[in-house]
Amino acid sequence: MIRFLTAGESHGKALTTIVEGFPSNLKINIDEINLQLKRRQSGYGRGLRMKIESDAAEILSGIRFGKTLGSPVSMLIRNKDWENWADKMKIEGKSSGVEKITIPRPGHADLVGISKYNYDDIRNSIERSSARETAARVAACSIARIFLAEFGITIGSFVESIGGVYPENNFAAKLFDNNLSKNFDAWGLSAKSDKSSVRVLESKHEKEIIDKIKLAKKKGDTLGGTFYVVATGVPVGLGTFVHYDKKLDACIANSIMSINAVKAVSIGTGFESSEKFGSESHDEIILKNNLLTRKTNRAGGIEGGISTGLPIIVRGAMKPISTLMSPIESVDLKTMKKVDARRERSDFVAVPACAVIGESMLAWTLAEFFVEKFGGDSIEETKDNFSSYTRKLHSRIKKNFAK
Ligand SMILES: Cc1cc2nc3c(=O)[nH]c(=O)nc-3n(C[C@H](O)[C@H](O)[C@H](O)COP(=O)(O)O)c2cc1C
């Protein structure tokens, strides 16, 4: 129903994306897209590249006088660094004179890329496997965020840990206990975590993490970490149990796992719940203000592949960055001799940015299900469909069972 593609190499001229399937008349403010792009570039521990780039989207089509037309929206993000790479990244001509990269980095896509695509230069693997691509994703998914916001759905994130440094009071517990203020909205989480250079919620925690990152830098090493992405305002009924590929939790796991270096995803209390009794894991069903809901939200807002109406809570784990300044072992493909892995300009830590990309990917998946359920060629039509469904939901349940 909705889809997007991205194109572009890390040091190519630009990244591009085509976004399709959103209804017409959706108001788009480019500042909102650029805000998300800026957030993706943030975080203590990023490398030099993020100092060179100041990402901004140029909209090329699909929007007129600030509103979607219903036609494909295409966007372009220029790579400022391209000027320094123009010779190495020529579209035409020969590669003679350009030094080939022959030493693969463990944990990166270098070796698998040359093996699969029969490249004779690791640069070809690096260029598209780089997380630079996620800038185009964030731009594309911003349209999904703007769309969801029309229905009161907001998305936010925070970093839970970096290098195994966890906070004293984990905010996740509050999410699972459903112990949130009445007006809690997920974007508020980001508003708070964005104030921290590592996107955590407590200043003591921030300091401990920065110390750990400094240690990693000193050792020429890198770190990963964990993060939470949360969505609030999601109505009951997105996703389904009728097909394996239409389960909301499965699709969210897929979209978060698709982010570079993310190696684990869980929904709700996830792995933790596997160690608990059922009575400690499930969320009791209650009536609150005459509406059906759950006491707690350990399920993370999804049961049976369908949204419950409570916040969607997703946790992701990012492995440490693969490029090490004190490298581990590799093999030079030119000599087939043991060598140190190649050093390349790189981030030390990118968990704060990864969480922002996580927000984008969650927004996209929710928008996919939302558009599928509520349809509509114009935003007005989608709104009519949405309000008719949500208005009647509880009265329908009551009516059906009172018979
Ligand atoms: C925001 C972000 C920034 C990243 N920056 C780097 C980097 O500077 N150097 C690096 O080696 N890997 C970096 N990575 C991770 C690689 O892109 C990733 O490990 C690589 O594409 C291989 O994919 P895989 O780890 O999913 O197997 C970054 C990932 C993200 C999400």
Side-chain angles (χ1 to χ4, degrees), residues 121-182:
D121 182 352
I122 290 173
R123 169 65 49 207
N124 290 347
S125 293
I126 298 173
E127 284 298 322
R128 183 64 185 163
S129 66
S130 158
R132 179 86 192 121
E133 181 267 344
T134 58
R137 284 200 222 184
V138 167
C141 297
S142 297
I143 306 283
R145 292 179 87 123
I146 293 168
F147 170 76
L148 292 172
E150 289 283 330
F151 302 90
I153 301 172
T154 69
I155 294 167
S157 71
F158 63 96
V159 169
E160 181 196 32
S161 72
I162 289 180
V165 179
Y166 284 83
E168 244 164 45
N169 303 305
N170 200 335
F171 186 77
K174 272 196 171 179
L175 293 170
F176 299 135
D177 289 347
N178 207 11
N179 184 14
L180 303 162
S181 68
K182 210 171 152 223

Side-chain angles (χ1 to χ4, degrees), residues 255-305:
S255 68
I256 301 293
M257 186 74 101
S258 77
I259 304 168
N260 311 43
V262 170
K263 294 300 149 198
V265 182
S266 64
I267 312 280
T269 48
F271 284 98
E272 217 182 282
S273 69
S274 68
E275 299 163 359
K276 298 247 163 108
F277 287 114
S279 57
E280 299 168 318
S281 290
H282 302 303
D283 304 308
E284 288 180 299
I285 297 169
I286 54 165
L287 262 184
K288 198 172 169 187
N289 305 328
N290 219 18
L291 297 176
L292 287 161
T293 184
R294 317 288 192 285
K295 246 189 217 170
T296 51
N297 187 18
R298 295 157 183 154
I302 305 171
E303 285 176 342

Side-chain angles (χ1 to χ4, degrees), residues 155 157 227 229 256 259 353-363:
I155 294 167
S157 71
F227 59 90
V229 185
I256 301 293
I259 304 168
C354 193
V356 173
I357 304 162
E359 289 176 27
S360 298
M361 294 311 296
L362 179 60

Side-chain angles (χ1 to χ4, degrees), residues 40 46-47 105 107-109 129-132 134 257-263 318-324 344-351 353-354 357:
R40 193 205 72 95
R46 302 301 299 274
R105 293 162 301 169
H108 219 295
S129 66
S130 158
R132 179 86 192 121
T134 58
M257 186 74 101
S258 77
I259 304 168
N260 311 43
V262 170
K263 294 300 149 198
M318 183 185 191
K319 73 182 188 188
I321 297 287
S322 325
T323 310
L324 306 179
E344 151 124 10
R345 185 183 59 187
S346 176
D347 299 326
F348 292 91
V349 171
V351 188
C354 193
I357 304 162

